[in-house]
């Protein structure tokens, strides 16, 4: 369950879609395993410019299937039991990390599962610290592969976990330029908890998208 749900549970036929410029908070009150945004098997998905807070579990979840499916040749979905997922982007989102995993943990602000080559987690602001169990700012769970995290801003003291499908997780899910200190919350609500520079970045992303449409 999720406030916004994308994708399929069929690894051979991933779907596409976009979630842009929403404010998502106070969801999953009764079904506390709900996430803010959940995307299953996706190819070419875009999750951009969203604000998320006050959640019982994970804010953004991308991917499915752990590591149980190999990649399809040329990712065409031509063989049974393989996955054609990949080319997904999670960017310019703002998450109040100190106010997620309110009930459940083993999740995070941005959580991934499964093989998704050529996918990116970038330019996100994850403000505040919620080090309760395994509640991470970015959490590449078992089977995650081909996901590059770069130029994200997180608060000091945040936890970042890479598991992945490669014996050396740095090769399976590389990270570049994720910085601390630059994303400190100033209040307990969104969007005021998100630093003004990050809100401006999100506004530009949403304005550019509106102009393009």
């Amino acid at each position: 369950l999720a406030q916004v749900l994308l994708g399929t549970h069929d690894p051979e036929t991933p779907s596409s879609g976009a979630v842009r410029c929403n404010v998502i908070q106070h969801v999953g009150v009764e079904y506390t395993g709900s996430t803010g945004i959940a995307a299953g098997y996706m190819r070419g998905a875009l999750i951009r410019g969203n604000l998320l807070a006050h959640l019982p579990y994970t804010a953004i979840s991308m991917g499915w299937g752990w590591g149980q499916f190999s990649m399809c040749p040329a990712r065409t979905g031509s063989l049974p039991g393989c996955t054609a997922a990949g080319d997904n982007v999670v960017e310019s989102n703002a998450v109040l990390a100190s106010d997620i995993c309110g009930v459940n943990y083993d999740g995070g602000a941005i959580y991934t599962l499964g093989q998704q080559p050529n996918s990116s987690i970038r330019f996100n602001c994850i403000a505040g610290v919620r080090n309760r169990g395994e509640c991470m700012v970015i959490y590449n769970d078992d089977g995650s592969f081909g996901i590059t995290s770069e130029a994200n801003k997180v608060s000091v003291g945040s936890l970042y976990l890479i598991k992945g499908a490669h014996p050396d997780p740095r090769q399976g899910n590389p990270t570049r330029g994720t910085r601390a200190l630059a994303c400190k919350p100033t209040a307990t609500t969104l969007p005021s908890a998100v630093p003004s520079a990050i809100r401006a970045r999100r506004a530009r992303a949403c304005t550019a998208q509106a102009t393009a449409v």
Side-chain angles (χ1 to χ4, degrees):
L1 295 175
Q3 180 67 16
V4 179
L5 181 62
L6 297 173
T8 71
H9 288 170
D10 183 352
E12 298 174 51
T13 56
S15 61
S16 184
V19 183
R20 296 184 290 247
C21 304
N22 300 281
V23 175
I24 299 173
Q25 54 185 336
H26 298 294
V27 303
V29 174
E30 295 183 357
Y31 297 96
T32 58
S34 298
T35 64
I37 300 171
Y41 290 108
M42 302 292 297
R43 185 170 182 182
L46 175 65
I47 299 176
R48 183 185 194 193
N50 302 285
L51 298 172
L52 301 101
H54 311 300
L55 301 171
Y57 186 37
T58 289
I60 299 172
S61 178
M62 172 73 79
W64 201 254
W66 304 95
Q68 58 185 303
F69 300 105
S70 60
M71 295 308 304
C72 297
R75 284 182 287 146
T76 60
S78 58
L79 294 177
C82 63
T83 178
D87 305 308
N88 301 312
V89 176
V90 179
E91 69 176 10
S92 301
N93 300 284
V95 180
L96 185 57
S98 57
D99 205 7
I100 63 172
C101 300
V103 179
N104 300 305
Y105 51 98
D106 195 22
I110 301 174
Y111 174 90
T112 68
L113 274 180
Q115 301 191 56
Q116 305 175 54
N118 302 317
S119 294
S120 298
I121 299 171
R122 62 195 185 197
F123 311 134
N124 300 284
C125 171
I126 304 171
V129 179
R130 180 68 168 178
N131 293 341
R132 175 180 181 267
E134 290 188 346
C135 187
M136 313 293 173
V137 289
I138 299 176
Y139 187 171
N140 297 133
D141 207 349
D142 291 317
S144 296
F145 183 82
I147 305 164
T148 299
S149 296
E150 56 185 338
N152 299 289
K153 294 185 177 182
V154 303
S155 291
V156 165
S158 300
L159 297 180
Y160 188 127
L161 182 59
I162 302 175
K163 291 185 179 179
H166 194 281
D168 181 351
R170 292 170 298 179
Q171 295 186 41
N173 301 290
T175 62
R176 305 189 189 107
T178 291
R179 295 180 292 168
L181 290 173
C183 194
K184 183 178 180 181
T186 58
T188 58
T189 58
L190 275 171
S192 60
V194 180
S196 59
I198 302 301
R199 280 185 275 137
R201 174 191 289 175
R202 173 186 174 270
R204 288 194 299 271
C206 292
T207 300
Q209 182 62 45
T211 303
V213 172

